[in-house]
Amino acid sequence: MPTKDRYPITLIALHWLIAILIVTAFALGTIMTDMRISPTKLQYYSYHKWLGVTVLGLVAVRLLARLLSAAPAYPETMGIWQKNAANATHILLYVLMFAVPLSGYFYTSAAGYPVVYLGLFELPTFIAPDPDLKHTLKELHELLTNVMLGVVILHVLAALKHQFVDKDGILRRMMPTK
Ligand code: HEM
């Protein structure tokens, strides 16, 4: 259950787990696309897809948990525009956490490749192979990952400002311990 000044522990755990998975998927995506074709490159593509699909599943759980629980109130010291900016950034992050993996998933389908999750079972394909769409979705996946990078940087900078400049305890709301 949420306490007055912190998020519920489920949301805190999901926040940090998803953050680690996104950073890893982002780094792997950047590294693998620059590699020359090799078995390692193909393996990295699989790992990247598994990480992305895991993010997608966890974000769905997280959104549900977030909708079912109240967020702790912002401190009085935060102005209305700051609260609105924080809320808008958080909504945008949720949208991107769905849009980035979905665009990668649809791109893979349009390229004609199956996604075999953890090498164990094949996930459904929602798009038939299509060279034109494949190209568009690839560009879209790249664009969205770059937008996500920008918004995440903004999000981290805002958290650091609250912690070290405003010293208003906002970061503690998302920390597992006090
Ligand atoms: C949190 C989720 C994800 C993140 C942060 C992410 C990030 C990235 C990044 C940074 C790249 C490199 C883009 C570039 O060329 O600059 C990339 C490429 C790629 N991603 Fe993702 N991705 C995610 C999820 C997925 C998923 C779920 C799939 C498929 C199931 C996927 C499939 C691909 C593929 C196939 C490429 C290579 C594109 C190419 O051939 O150039 N991604 N991703």
Side-chain angles (χ1 to χ4, degrees):
M1 284 302 288
T3 60
K4 235 168 54 179
D5 57 354
R6 286 167 82 215
Y7 279 95
I9 193 68
T10 2
L11 281 176
I12 296 178
L14 284 168
H15 174 277
W16 293 110
L17 179 59
I18 290 170
I20 291 167
L21 293 176
I22 287 178
V23 169
T24 314
F26 190 92
L28 206 52
T30 309
I31 293 166
M32 73 189 192
T33 42
D34 281 345
M35 288 169 73
R36 279 203 297 202
I37 190 77
S38 70
T40 311
K41 178 178 170 109
L42 299 181
Q43 196 62 63
Y44 283 5
Y45 268 62
S46 293
Y47 295 155
H48 177 79
K49 293 173 189 178
W50 301 346
L51 281 166
V53 169
T54 308
V55 167
L56 193 57
L58 290 174
V59 170
V61 175
R62 179 175 175 186
L63 180 63
L64 199 66
R66 176 64 183 80
L67 293 174
L68 293 174
S69 60
Y74 288 121
E76 305 273 307
T77 47
M78 264 176 84
I80 186 78
W81 75 267
Q82 261 187 309
K83 290 179 191 170
N84 288 340
N87 287 332
T89 311
H90 298 159
I91 291 170
L92 187 55
L93 280 169
Y94 272 103
V95 171
L96 289 166
M97 285 190 293
F98 281 104
V100 167
L102 279 177
S103 60
Y105 193 131
F106 293 152
Y107 160 63
T108 303
S109 300
Y113 297 110
V115 179
V116 185
Y117 188 59
L118 304 177
L120 294 176
F121 53 91
E122 194 172 320
L123 298 178
T125 325
F126 301 102
I127 291 180
D130 179 331
D132 290 339
L133 191 59
K134 166 190 152 180
H135 179 72
T136 311
L137 287 170
K138 183 182 161 182
E139 301 273 296
L140 183 67
H141 188 55
E142 272 180 47
L143 175 75
L144 289 172
T145 54
N146 287 329
V147 174
M148 184 186 242
L149 177 65
V151 182
V152 166
I153 289 174
L154 195 71
H155 178 68
V156 173
L157 288 178
L160 293 175
K161 177 183 175 284
H162 280 288
Q163 181 68 10
F164 298 109
V165 181
D166 304 337
K167 299 188 170 75
D168 56 11
I170 283 278
L171 189 57
R172 224 171 34 234
R173 294 148 50 101
M174 204 37 112
M175 286 299 183
T177 52
K178 289 247 171 194

